[in-house]
Every structure is written in C-alpha cells, then in structure tokens.
Amino acid sequence: MAGAQAKGPFLENEAAVPETTPELFGGKRIGVLLPLPLGGPAGGVYDYRCSADLALQPGDFVEVPLGRRSLIGVVWNSGAGDIAAERLKDVIARIDLPPFPEISRRFIDWVAGYCMSAPGAVLRMAMSVTDAFEPPRSVKAWRAVSMIAAERKKFSPQRQRVLDVLQDHALLQSTELARQAAVSPGVIRQMAESGLIEAVAVPLTPPYGQPDALRQGPALSPEQRHAADILTATLRAGGYGAMLLDGVTGSGKTEVYFEAIATCLAQGKQALVLLPEIALGAQWLQRFEKRFGALPAQWHSELTGLERRLTWRAVLQGDAKVVVGARSALFLPYHDLGLIIVDEEHEAAFKQEDGVVYQARDMAVVRAHLGQIPVVLASATPSLESLVNVESGKYQALQLPDRHGGAQLPSMHLIDLRRDKPARGSWLSPTLLAALDQALAAGEQALLFLNRRGYAPLTLCRDCGHRLQCPHCTAWLVEHRFHQRLQCHHCGFATQMPSSCPKCGSTGGFTACGPGVERLAEEAALRFPDARRLILTSDTVTGPAKTAALMRSIQEHEIDLIIGTQIIAKGHHFPNLTLVGVVDADLGLNGGDLRAAERTFQLLHQVAGRAGRGSKPGQVFLQTYDPDRPVMQALLRHDRAGFLEVEAGDRDMAGMPPFGRLAAVIVAGSNEAAVDELARDLARNAPRMDGVTILGPAPAPLAVLRGRHRRRFLVKCRRDVAPQTVLRRWLQGKGRKGDPAIQVDIDPYSFL
Ligand code: ADP
Ligand code: ZN
Ligand code: ZN
C-alpha cells in the first residue's frame, strides 16, 4: 500500500485534534489535564498558573492542587481562560520525567472524541500507575527460599498459597504478597521466621530483558518469507501502513511478525504486541524469549505494583523495547513506538466494556496512523470488519494459506443430535463416543470443548421448579462444584447452594439443568475412567506459572483427554492432539448478537485448529441440532469465503456493521420508574436525521444488572454518518453520570 495515500479507518469522522506546538510557559496560564473521569466544557482540562521560575512545556507531568488534595496531571494546552487570572492556583511542582509524548496526547484526545469519553478518563488509563512519579528507590521484597522444599512438604492452605503466589512472581512486596495470597501480614512474618521465605532488597532491575535484534529466527518458508519481506519493507520505508496477516492456524504468523519486530528493534524503536488474553501468553512468552534471547516487558492486570511502576517508566523513557500486553497497553506513553501487532485481531476481548468503552484493535490502527507507523492485524479468522477494509484497499492482505510443515487441516464431521442422540442425562452422542474410544485406544490425545464454565447453567427446585436466580441481575446462578458455590457470571455474586428452596421452602433438593464443563468432566470420568483427564477453564487455570505447567503436561502427553472452555481454543500447539469434539456447537448462536454466527465460526474454527497440528491427521466432530445452518455447513467444508459472503450479504442488506455504523445508548439506574422516564424522554427527543435510525427504548436482555435497571437504544447510521454527531446533538445537556445514567457504546460488541 502506498504510504502517502494510506488512510486510517476512521478518518471520515476524526475528532478535531489540535496540533500542539511546543512552547514554554513561564508565569503564564496553562491547561492541565487531570486523570479523572470529568467532562465539562474544557473536557477535564483545568487552568493553573505556572510560576515564573518553572519552565513548562506541553506534556510535562505536574503536581497541582485540586480542592484540598494535590494530584498529578499533564500540561495539555494554554488553558481555557474561563477562570479569572487572579483566582488561578499555582502549579506545585514539575515532575522530573520525560514529557508525556505528543502523539500520546493527540491519541488521548482522539480516543476521547471518538468514544465520547472524558479525555481525563482516557488519560487515567495511560497513567494508572501508583508511585510511578516518585523517584526510584530500592524496595524490600519477599521470595521463597527454596522451590524444591516448597513442593515436598505439606503446609497449611495459607502458607501453601503464599508459596504458590511466589512461584508466579519471583519477588513480591509485603502488601502485594498478602493481597494475592489472601493472608494476613502475620502469616508472612511467621513464614519468614521459620525460614520458608526471605526478604531481599530489590535493586529495582526492570522486569524484562533486552531483546536482541540480530538473533536469527528459523528459516522461513517461501510464503512466510514473502509476507515477512513486505512487513519489513513497510517498516523500512517508514510511515503508516495497515496489514492483515491472514493465515490458517499453525501457518507461522507469529514467526512472520517476529521478523517485523526484529526490524523495528534494529531501527532502535519500540514495538507493541497486543494479545487478547495475556494470562495465557506463557507459551507466547517462551517463544519470544527463544527468538530474541530475552523476555519482553509485559502489561496486564496481573502485574504487581512494582512491576507496573518499573514498566511504565521504562516505556516512557524508551528502555522497554518490546511490550506485550492486553488492550490497555495501547495507552502507555511510548517514547518512540515503531510498530503495533494485534494478534487474534478478531477477538471480542479487545473491546473494553467498562469505563472508557473502546475497541483496542480499532484504536491500535488509529494510534498507528497518528504515529505514522505500520500496524499488523493477525488472525486465522479475521473479522468481517478487517476483511472489508482489505477489499476497500484500506488494509493490505498478507496470506499464509498452509500450515507449517505440511500438516493438513482436520477432517470435519457434523453430528445431528436429533438423530444421533446422547443417552439420557449424558451429552456425548454415540458417534462422538466411538471416535473418542478409537483415538484414546490409539494412544492419541483428545479435546472435548464446551464453552460453558461451571457444573450446570441452571438449577431448579425439584418440588416447585423455582430457578435459582441472581439477586442483582436478570440471570440464572451457575453452579460451580469445583468452588462449591453458585455464581452469577455477570456481576460476580457468589453464594452457597441453599439448604432449602427460597420459594417453597422444600428441602427436597435441586436439579441441575444442562451441562457445564464440570458436568461434562463427570461424564468423561464415567465413560473413560482410565484416560488421564484435565479440566481447563478460567476457574482451574490461575496464573501464568500454573498455565505454563498445565500446557507442558499436555505437550508432554501426560494428559489423554482435555475438557475445556474457550481458554483452550487459542494459540496452543499440541502435536499429539488428533480429536476435537465440540459438545454444543449451537451454544453461541442464540440471542440477539449481530456477530453471533461470525463468532461461532471463528471460535469453532479455532478450536478445530487444535486438532492434527503434528504429523497425524486430525478429526473434528461438531454436535448440533441444526446441521443445515450456513455456519455449520461452512465449518464442515472449511469454507470461510463462502460463509463470509453470506454473512456480508446479510449485514449489508440490514445496514449493519461494517456496512453501516452502530452505537448503543443504555439508560441505567437503581429506580426503574426513573429509568423508564429518562428513556421515554430520550425517545421523545430523538433526532430525526437522514441516514439515521434510532431503535428503542427496549429493556436490555440483561434488564437488571448489578441492581440497576437497564433500557437500550440502538443508533444505526449510514456509513457516511458519524454516530458521534447524532449522539452529541441528542444527548447534549442530558446527565451522562448519576442515577439514572446514560452510557454510550460506539461500535457495540455486546448487546446484553
Ligand atoms: P500461527 O501463529 O499462524 O498459529 P505459529 O507461528 O504458531 O503459527 O507456527 C506454528 C508452529 O510451527 C510453531 O510451533 C512454530 O514454531 C512452527 N513454525 C512456523 N514456522 C516455522 C519455520 N519457518 N521454521 C520452523 N518452525 C516454524
Ligand atoms: Zn421450590
Ligand atoms: Zn448478578
């Protein structure tokens, strides 16, 4: 793609981004953006006076007074001028750090404008690091004296938790260790006294290494070489370019983008890799280390305070060369970012649903455009959005059609559950059972996939049929036998199984309805007692060290039968796995989700891709009640193009994304009448504009969430109409905060 005419995906409605010219403010009025979710006319920028002896420039971190406290913000502009000069408060101090880079500042303004959030709320994502502004000092941290001793002996559950946590994080400060292990400081003290753990002074070495740009990667196949050459040429040419690295699972996409990272490193610039679920990136990290001889800096919610602080500073100072992270890593203040990779770009996990609601994959493209750098989106099942961008010439497609080493795609089979019925109270059809018998007898590994955590999705009273429901949400409580409790998957509410029915008082007990992975595991244990079984769900896989150990045990064939949810679907490479059984292929197809079929195709295609990655061919069985559906037929034939053509046709006809634009407006509050009143008021004042359809209000499928009643509107716009313009006009002067509140979701991915 020619760099000069390359266009960003959203340029048609790009928010006005002021070009900030570096200028010194001495003794003058300045505008400081505070990392707070405050709106207001100046967008959260507050005016201060810069005393004459301070030389400040845009981007400087400054400590300023706010009410009775002080906090740290960023010098943003020359101020709004709405406060009289004599009432201005003085900046307290300039923080001794490099300035928040100009591109990062423009990015924050852009994201705030596009997502209709307060810039301060976006800035907060870029600054949410405690202590980062204090000068570095050495700190006291705990470590286990011996890991061997830790494995051999029997400890109290509390002590064991401390040792487990220290296995995941070699060093932890007291408060962090106590929090993660859920123990009191006394437990830590006693363990130190008995010599199990010891305190050391940490010299604050950064939690990452220096990747070596010159280290050789594996010899690439001709297709891989071709794709890698285009990437590296784009990097060398400089400027923006968006590329879709589209290759079947196992085709070597990771090896190819590693080449681009090597080139970026050789240019002395930083590279960012966004992954959907960083906690499961242990295998990815190992590969990176093997390729570059050092670990990259990581950025995700599991980091300790110390790790965050060191990493944040290192990113700002340009010392951290490669950052791998979850979506929030996009907002780090990169000193000189040269490349962005978004792996598994189709994953819905890139959409953040609370606070600032944004799609990290889309914002990564915007960030690349602002920084005039290349961005690579990688996937085996690209989103329709990205494929349409390829068709319109906005993205360049790089294809890797074959699996590395010639492994074949697995053969696909549909099992019609209406004919091939599982026995009563079981979930596996005779055909799937026979295939499992055969694979296990041949000494091969098998995977049973069911994307549903817990034991059963619904629990009923045997006597009156009462369904156990979350007290705070319109949702059933899910039984988790592993944790011995009932959980709400929407708000996190958890409780014990009641001893009597809350409705009729009967103590006759409860019946579980439908399967979750834990129940499926029960059936597998009965049916295949000799197979070494492993349940993989987010409830059982906790922490990177445990994840890595479990993945290793599968790779080394210490496991015969894996029973798992979607956490097993991605990225992992198990050469002995030849059989995949999808227990309920229809699971994701119900409900009003615009992308339900697309997601089902992506998820099941990825799960299927786990089979037959080694030398032995793989087989995949999909159990479904509706084998004639286009998505099932497409999976059967590995016919992605055919599926997408039907899907694109349907969406285009309905004016849905990516052919039209969508925004959701949600009214939520604790008082149902007030919520309805506000929703009706909005409906009465809905703007009538050409190319805009406003649907609703309707009760949200999750009509009550965390005790708040919810009504939804859907704003559907023609491609050339920006929903932000419609929404600004519509919601002007309406309270966005408070109770009830109005939430805006641009490009919604969740319709609950
Ligand atoms: P993808 O990211 O497309 O799923 P990977 O990059 O994970 O594919 O590659 C799949 C497997 O094949 C990995 O184990 C990887 O190390 C191996 N592989 C891919 N390309 C090569 C190559 N050129 N030389 C050696 N091994 C390769
Ligand atoms: Zn009852
Ligand atoms: Zn709930």
Side-chain angles (χ1 to χ4, degrees), residues 461 463-466 501 503-506:
C461 166
D463 287 317
C464 74
H466 175 69
C501 170
K503 176 130 179 269
C504 73
S506 151

Side-chain angles (χ1 to χ4, degrees), residues 603-657:
L603 180 61
L604 298 187
H605 180 85
Q606 292 244 303
V607 176
R610 298 309 110 206
R613 294 193 36 149
S615 50
K616 297 171 208 151
Q619 287 201 85
V620 178
F621 291 85
L622 304 175
Q623 298 196 136
T624 170
Y625 282 100
D626 199 352
D628 297 326
R629 269 192 214 243
V631 55
M632 295 302 154
Q633 289 295 318
L635 283 162
L636 177 67
R637 307 200 165 91
H638 297 290
D639 182 14
R640 187 180 93 186
F643 168 71
L644 287 169
E645 203 180 300
V646 173
E647 182 69 14
D650 289 353
R651 295 235 205 127
D652 197 1
M653 195 123 80
M656 283 294 184

Side-chain angles (χ1 to χ4, degrees), residues 218-221 224 248-255 287 404 573 613:
L220 298 183
S221 70
Q224 292 173 337
V248 295
T249 43
S251 58
K253 294 185 291 298
T254 315
E255 299 296 344
R287 281 183 66 180
H404 178 74
H573 186 62
R613 294 193 36 149

Side-chain angles (χ1 to χ4, degrees), residues 373-389:
I373 58 172
V375 56
V376 181
L377 311 181
S379 174
T381 50
S383 60
L384 194 57
E385 276 78 359
S386 295
L387 289 166
V388 167
N389 280 331

